[in-house]
């Protein structure tokens, strides 16, 4: 697995505001979208492209477009949904699929409760979106699922990860190649398997309480 921490002053600044306890949901959603755009810029740096002939007002020229089959963007519900808008703004021709997964907060087991993806992912480059990589249980399940469906390549975008989750991915993925883009690699997990210093429960902060 290749881990890329996007080291940029704007990422660090926005992430700091995102972490703050008092940041309200509306600002949290906005910052999440902006952070995904910055991560997405890096994560798509080597996405496959192909030449395309176009007419400008002056002449015919050869430009570039994202190659077919189109990249597939997959947010892991619920919290990953907060990352979708920013990613599709960066790659508007990408297709979008959905995975709904939740970790049981007592047992940490993962339940997949929804799936809406193409039946065959052969040749597809999948961009998996989930803000939090904690124990890694969710991402391991999701990546396995995508490769079993035939995905050619999986790139994960997370805002935060714990070293424990990265170690779990490295142990569990064998020869499945994964690129992981992060806004920050945090210190550790706490006794409830929350990321420290972290930002709390990303799903609740995005969609939980009305202000
Ligand atoms: O690495 P793990 O230990 O598996 O934990 C990370 C998962 O936990 C959170 O989702 P949660 O299960 O809280 O669902 P939600 O998005 O609906 O809040 C987060 O968005 C990840 O999907
Ligand atoms: O810190 C964490 C860990 C798992 N899920 C979250 O939303 N936050
Ligand atoms: Mg949650």
């Amino acid at each position: 697995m290749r881990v890329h921490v996007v080291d940029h002053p704007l990422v660090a600044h926005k992430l700091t505001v995102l972490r703050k306890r008092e940041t309200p949901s509306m600002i949290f959603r906005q910052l999440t979208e902006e952070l995904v755009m910055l991560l997405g810029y890096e994560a798509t740096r080597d996405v496959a492209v192909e030449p395309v002939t176009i007419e400008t007002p002056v002449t015919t020229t050869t430009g570039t477009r994202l190659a077919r089959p189109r990249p597939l963007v997959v947010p892991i519900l619920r919290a990953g949904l907060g990352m979708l808008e920013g990613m599709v703004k960066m790659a508007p021709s990408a297709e979008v699929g959905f995975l709904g997964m939740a970790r049981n907060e007592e047992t940490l087991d993962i339940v997949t409760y929804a799936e809406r993806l193409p039946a065959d992912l052969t040749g597809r480059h999948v961009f998996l979106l989930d803000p939090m990589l904690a124990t890694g249980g969710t991402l391991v399940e999701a990546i396995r699922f995508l490769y079993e469906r035939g995905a050619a390549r999986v790139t994960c975008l997370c805002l935060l990860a714990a070293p424990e989750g990265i170690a779990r991915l490295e142990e569990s993925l064998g020869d499945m190649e994964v690129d992981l883009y992060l806004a920050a690699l945090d210190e550790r997990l706490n006794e409830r398997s929350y990321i420290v210093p972290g930002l709390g429960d990303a799903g609740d902060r995005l969609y939980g309480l009305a202000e």
Side-chain angles (χ1 to χ4, degrees):
M1 185 171 68
R2 289 178 290 266
V3 181
H4 315 257
V5 180
V6 178
D7 181 17
H8 191 287
L10 291 180
V11 172
H13 176 96
K14 289 176 194 297
L15 184 59
T16 301
V17 183
L18 194 79
R19 288 183 191 276
K20 284 184 175 178
R21 181 194 289 274
E22 67 268 25
T23 297
S25 285
M26 196 182 72
I27 306 295
F28 193 96
R29 287 196 289 269
Q30 190 180 321
L31 287 165
T32 299
E33 179 175 334
E34 292 166 7
L35 280 162
V36 173
M37 291 174 79
L38 294 166
L39 257 55
Y41 180 76
E42 290 298 331
T44 52
R45 199 172 270 287
D46 61 353
V47 72
V49 291
E50 59 193 18
V52 58
T53 304
I54 59 154
E55 301 287 330
T56 76
V58 179
T59 188
T60 302
T61 189
T62 304
T64 300
R65 67 174 186 186
L66 296 188
R68 277 32 177 177
R70 294 181 291 158
L72 180 68
V73 174
V74 178
I76 301 179
L77 310 180
R78 167 185 59 154
L81 203 51
M83 299 173 75
L84 178 60
E85 200 51 38
M87 191 63 192
V88 295
K89 275 190 180 153
M90 295 305 282
S93 60
E95 195 182 342
V96 179
F98 296 90
L99 270 177
M101 304 178 97
R103 95 174 176 172
N104 178 313
E105 292 296 337
E106 258 89 70
T107 63
L108 302 179
D109 291 339
I110 309 303
V111 180
T112 302
Y113 60 84
E115 176 263 300
R116 192 83 165 93
L117 294 171
D120 180 12
L121 296 179
T122 304
R124 306 299 294 268
H125 185 172
V126 181
F127 291 88
L128 197 51
L129 310 178
D130 193 334
M132 309 303 273
L133 166 53
T135 65
T138 304
L139 224 50
V140 166
E141 288 276 318
I143 294 165
R144 278 208 184 111
F145 183 91
L146 296 168
Y147 275 122
E148 279 166 13
R149 282 257 171 121
R153 188 168 171 199
V154 178
T155 299
C156 302
L157 281 75
C158 299
L159 298 182
L160 296 182
E164 294 90 331
I166 290 182
R168 167 107 171 250
L169 252 63
E170 272 165 348
E171 275 163 36
S172 311
L173 293 177
D175 56 6
M176 288 182 267
E177 270 205 27
V178 172
D179 282 280
L180 172 66
Y181 285 83
L182 300 173
L185 175 56
D186 271 8
E187 284 165 26
R188 62 184 170 87
L189 295 178
N190 70 11
E191 59 295 341
R192 292 174 53 229
S193 292
Y194 271 73
I195 298 173
V196 179
L199 49 76
D201 188 306
D204 286 354
R205 294 205 61 189
L206 283 161
Y207 302 119
L209 300 170
E211 302 308 319

